Amino acid sequence: MKLILLLLLSVSCYSKDSEVKSKFSKVFENFHSHSEVSIPDPISDKPVNTKLLILKDIKKNIIGYAREIKTSTGCNSECLPVIFTLYYSKDKSFLNLSSKPGLTKKNHVSFTSEDYFRLKSILIKNPKSFKNIKHPYELVDMVSGATKSDYIPDVVEKAAYTSLRVNTYNQQTLKYLSSLGQ
């Protein structure tokens, strides 16, 4: 019985390691292992997104960074969670974004490839209009739910909350990475 339990535990750990390796190898071809450092969560009063992954090759050289995020849009209603991973190069610049479950827009419509492209360009641009927003509600008209015209150029259509949340985590991660001495 103990042998079976040990075997099941080993298979579970191996499959998780294999899943991690597969995920990061899609962005970093020579990914071999990772370590973690703590990073502040810029959104939550009860922080949960507090890990920055340092990605390494087989010789333990840093090849990049990743941050896995699971959060809300801030709508506090029937919005789906926002689950994504941000990737950064070894020189600490934004590289890519992925979402295994897929990001969604208003009414749970899935992001298209054009929406992901738009979101990545938003992350690179870091819209100035986001700087003074204290809550995602400020992006939309509270009666109609439509994105306010001032913000339309700076968000994915029908995904203003998601655009803001992802950008907030990206900017905070970039700031943290720039503080690392490595």
Side-chain angles (χ1 to χ4, degrees), residues 20-133:
V20 167
K21 187 164 179 108
S22 173
K23 176 181 181 175
F24 294 131
S25 293
K26 290 177 185 175
V27 178
F28 297 94
E29 204 172 281
N30 54 346
F31 171 75
H32 182 263
S33 63
H34 73 278
S35 58
E36 298 176 359
V37 293
S38 293
I39 185 171
D41 187 328
I43 304 282
S44 300
D45 292 334
K46 297 176 184 174
V48 292
N49 297 299
T50 59
K51 292 180 187 173
L52 176 70
L53 305 177
I54 302 172
L55 309 178
K56 301 174 183 177
D57 63 16
I58 199 160
K59 295 179 181 179
K60 304 288 184 201
N61 296 314
I62 295 173
I63 57 172
Y65 303 86
R67 188 168 185 191
E68 299 177 304
I69 304 292
K70 184 174 183 177
T71 190
S72 73
T73 59
C75 72
N76 300 329
S77 64
E78 297 180 20
C79 297
L80 292 175
V82 183
I83 303 169
F84 60 97
T85 303
L86 296 165
Y87 300 94
Y88 302 89
S89 66
K90 70 178 178 180
D91 71 358
K92 304 170 185 165
S93 60
F94 172 74
L95 269 182
N96 205 355
L97 159 112
S98 68
S99 177
K100 186 176 180 179
L103 297 176
T104 57
K105 303 188 283 186
K106 188 174 183 179
N107 298 321
H108 309 291
V109 174
S110 295
F111 264 44
T112 64
S113 57
E114 291 83 12
D115 294 327
Y116 281 103
F117 181 81
R118 174 83 178 118
L119 182 58
K120 289 173 191 176
S121 69
I122 290 165
L123 298 180
I124 292 166
K125 180 182 170 188
N126 185 25
K128 290 178 184 175
S129 66
F130 287 174
K131 292 195 187 329
N132 295 319
I133 295 177

Side-chain angles (χ1 to χ4, degrees), residues 9 12 42 143 150 160 174:
L9 189 59
S12 172
V143 175
D150 290 352
L174 286 168

Side-chain angles (χ1 to χ4, degrees), residues 42-43 123 130 163-173:
I43 304 282
L123 298 180
F130 287 174
S163 300
L164 177 67
R165 281 293 199 228
V166 175
N167 190 71
T168 299
Y169 275 104
N170 181 55
Q171 290 306 310
Q172 189 260 344
T173 305

